[in-house]
Amino acid sequence: MTEPTGGPMGDPPAEGGGRVARVVLVDDHRMFRTGVRAEIGRTEVTGIDVVGEADDVESAVRVVAETRPDVVLLDVHLPGGGGVEVLRRSAALMGDPAGVRFLALSVSDAAEDVIGVIRGGARGYVTKTITGTDLVNAIFRISDGDAVFSPRLAGFVLDAFAATDTPPVDEDLDRLTQREREVLRLIARGYAYKEIAKQLFISVKTVESHVSAVLRKLQLSNRHELTRWATARRLV
């Protein structure tokens, strides 16, 4: 397994040695998709040809089946069941050596998210802090059959597949939606509401609503108790 490396955002993206990789972008935030397309979609420079986009599970499954791209950049948390559901419903397209390959691209660096999509068939997992140069390199590596992970995420996968016991079900955590889990982790890491809103591409009011829902579901009183709860479960 390899890790992407590279310079800061704004450096010319790495080229694919004259090759072209056909890519589908799957993310429920239109502004993020627009940014990724602008950063890597200059085919004459990057070798990346963005052939389709989708913002939920249904549209993702349809677009991937119609375009048969080389690589799908897949967000983990999507309306309609998440990235794992896209992988499950696209399994038939991943079977042969020339099949579609999936690279998870998510704001989340939580172990259960990484492990879930890798078990579902994704070939790699990078976070949205990745540079344009590194993302282009990651796409070509995935297209070549390599496995690519952002720093430290590979350890989650190695630990998970080395484990012989199934991890216990956490009923409290299962009460939370995927978005509530994202907000929970960022709150526990000390992010302010405005920072969380910017990170997740949502409004501050929506962040406040998610925090209230998390506190209610977990029967906690404030963010300090929430932080202790998340730390005890190694979610931070």
Side-chain angles (χ1 to χ4, degrees), residues 86-88 90-97 99-102 120-122:
V86 175
L87 290 163
R88 185 187 69 80
S90 304
L93 304 178
M94 296 187 279
D96 60 77
V100 178
R101 293 187 170 94
F102 288 79

Side-chain angles (χ1 to χ4, degrees), residues 195-214:
E195 293 172 323
I196 296 172
K198 183 178 180 180
Q199 184 89 344
L200 300 181
F201 300 93
I202 58 179
S203 69
V204 173
K205 186 175 181 180
T206 300
V207 174
E208 293 172 348
S209 297
H210 285 314
V211 172
S212 296
V214 170

